Amino acid sequence: MKSDLPSAVVVIALGLVALVAAAKLPPTPGQNFGAGFVPGLVAGVMTAAGVLLALRALRRRASFASEPAAKLVRPAGLLVVLGGLAAYVLLSEWLGFHLTAMLVVGGATVAFTGRWRTAVPVAVVAAIGVHAVFYGLFKVPLPWGVLQPLAW
Amino acid sequence: MDALLQGAQLVLQPQTLIAIFLASIFGLLVGAIPGLTATMAMALLVPVTFFLEPITAVGAMVACSAMAIFAGDVPGTLMRMPGTPASAAYTDEAYAMTRNGQASLALGANVVFSAIGGIFGTIVLMVAAPALAELAVKFSSFEYFWLAMLGITCAAFIAAADPLKGVVSLCLGLLVATVGINNPAGQPRFTFGSTDLVGGIDFIAAMIGLFAIAEVLRFAGSARTELAVPQAQGGRIFAGVGALAARYWPQALRGNAVGTVIGSLPGAGADVAAWIAYSVSRRFSRTPKKFGTGHPEGIVESTSANNAALGGAWIPSLVFGIPGDTITAVVIGVLYMKGLNPGPTLFLNHPESMYAIFLVFIVANLLMIPFGWALIKAARRILSVPQGILMPLILLFCTVGAFAATNSLFGVVTMLAFGVLGLLMERHGFPVAPAVLAMVLGPLLEESFVNSMIKTDGELLGLVQRPIAAGLAAVCVVLWLLPLVKSLRRRDGAHATALG
């Protein structure tokens, strides 16, 4: 059983930051309830809920909710996904959709299955297929990047 | 009658039928694969719906969600792994039937009673929605304020196992909804100087993150376990279902009713409906001891309930724009994008669209029987697709979807952030559904509040001076006080035990 105390602290901190930010919003002329009213109220409720959560955690020391089914034992796996998405954001404009997508899908498939011979064809087919549907059919402006000379 | 014919014409267009057909297959596959939920199927479908006509898009979504909820039963029965959370309530029971050599009967019951449940939910939707819409036309900002309040209240207090964490999740969603310049004051809020945030946080990208990326992350971070080999199921699927129907029709009917009612409550969807129906079934059964040993009674009732809940969830969604569950929350996002703003005026201005949506429901539930049969026949092959290959593909699909939602890389960043948020929330026992509903209802809540305050000149009591508004307010207050009363009673009970 995990204690709720750390998450309660995060909730309180988030609530307080939002409360301060909402208080700084200027009032709307001619109205009693300006742009900051609703966010401020919500932030207040959130902070209060965080405090209640902390008090309960201190009293009980065990989480109310049941433990999640599977433990996260592979931080490297998480990094593959997060890194893949970060790579897409940073590289896709320059490398183009095809190459970035192959990198992301291929990398993740190798990481998950350990098989290059599966990963390479999966990555190539996925990149070309998804591009054909979204760029060709739905006209989503997926970037060509360095492959611009091949653009259709 | 004209509207009905026009609605039928909308549904019978080739592109709509093709979309329903393809979305059904997609829903069946996603629903059948353990770990991929019906809501995830919807989130993945949304980027495609951008490019479809409104009714075609809605048709695809209705078909996809109905199929996914049923398909979740298949791996539950064959592998003891529920394909979607909505099947979890009776997975053990269905798997016990499989071990008793009754896999075909369990699956046949799942298909047939899911389809009947779905049609029941649709009929209630068809009767209740127009009637409620007539009432809703008279609603003003005061009633809408309390309806939205009731929606978020139900999401946090009824649907969440831990109301306190439900409230935190709710506040998080409401804060996310306040980001940007789209508020009654037109004031940029929480944008941190970023031009990308001025337009607000894209709901679709956030949904893809919460429901799909979080799942990919969870898979990537967990130990690789070989999935159980699906149990073989031979024999005729529909044999014996007729006998079940003859024996357990009252249970099926009760499951349908329970499912529709739970579904229509904002925040509580198919999974809650299935759990409640299963426990109701055991409670009133003549043979409660047989439950858990492979007894079909509870399966009939709860598999009826989860599909009936889908239709129920559309009642508040279409009539008031208040989502009944996370699936309809996604649908409402799409409806706004398509200019079919949900609300009573939809019934007045676009009755043909309404009838078209109803017809799609019926078509989708009828299709479920042949499609479900095919899925069961192909189940072994589908369930043996390795997740190590599937997850990278989902990752790519999500990325393109989030990009398409905003036509910018900021959509991908939003999706990533919400994926991490979803994972963290799940790890720490915070339910995601209240946050999702709050993101949909937040703007309605604030707008109706500010409009009401302009009408009453800032007088808060004005919020409860119309009879329906006051009634809704009273229900909200009761729901807010319920957890407090419960905890006081618990404390009293503990006190009494300690003294005794």
Side-chain angles (χ1 to χ4, degrees), chain B residues 105 109 112-113 237-251 296 300:
Chain B
L105 183 61
V112 173
F113 291 103
I237 291 164
F238 297 121
V241 174
L244 277 186
R247 187 153 171 210
Y248 294 123
W249 65 265
Q251 280 84 346
V300 167

Side-chain angles (χ1 to χ4, degrees), chain B residues 445-494:
Chain B
L445 197 66
E446 181 168 18
E447 210 180 279
S448 56
F449 175 73
V450 171
N451 286 345
S452 302
M453 284 303 101
I454 292 173
K455 288 182 204 162
T456 65
D457 221 4
E459 184 60 57
L460 281 172
L461 270 180
L463 283 174
V464 291
Q465 272 167 357
R466 288 164 59 107
I468 296 177
L472 291 168
V475 177
C476 285
V477 172
V478 168
L479 287 173
W480 293 339
L481 294 180
L482 221 52
L484 203 68
V485 173
K486 258 194 213 159
S487 82
L488 283 179
R489 274 177 58 180
R490 228 189 346 251
R491 203 170 294 172
D492 272 6

Side-chain angles (χ1 to χ4, degrees), chain A residues 1-19:
Chain A
M1 284 288 215
K2 217 168 3 181
S3 170
D4 279 337
L5 201 56
S7 36
V9 172
V10 174
V11 170
I12 295 171
L14 214 60
L16 288 176
V17 170
L19 205 56

Side-chain angles (χ1 to χ4, degrees), chain A residues 26-75:
Chain A
T28 312
Q31 274 186 40
N32 302 359
F33 303 96
F37 177 74
V38 168
L41 191 66
V42 173
V45 173
M46 188 161 165
T47 313
V51 171
L52 286 177
L53 199 59
L55 289 177
R56 196 177 74 183
L58 287 173
R59 241 188 4 242
R60 241 198 320 236
R61 297 204 152 267
S63 174
F64 198 85
S66 54
E67 279 288 281
K71 287 216 157 75
L72 293 185
V73 290
R74 289 177 159 235

Side-chain angles (χ1 to χ4, degrees), chain B residues 7 21 23 47 105 109 121 126 169 211 254 266 317 328 356 360 365 443 462 466:
Chain B
F21 185 82
L105 183 61
M126 287 166 72
S169 167
F211 291 114
R254 193 170 56 201
S317 313
T328 42
V360 167
N365 281 298
R466 288 164 59 107

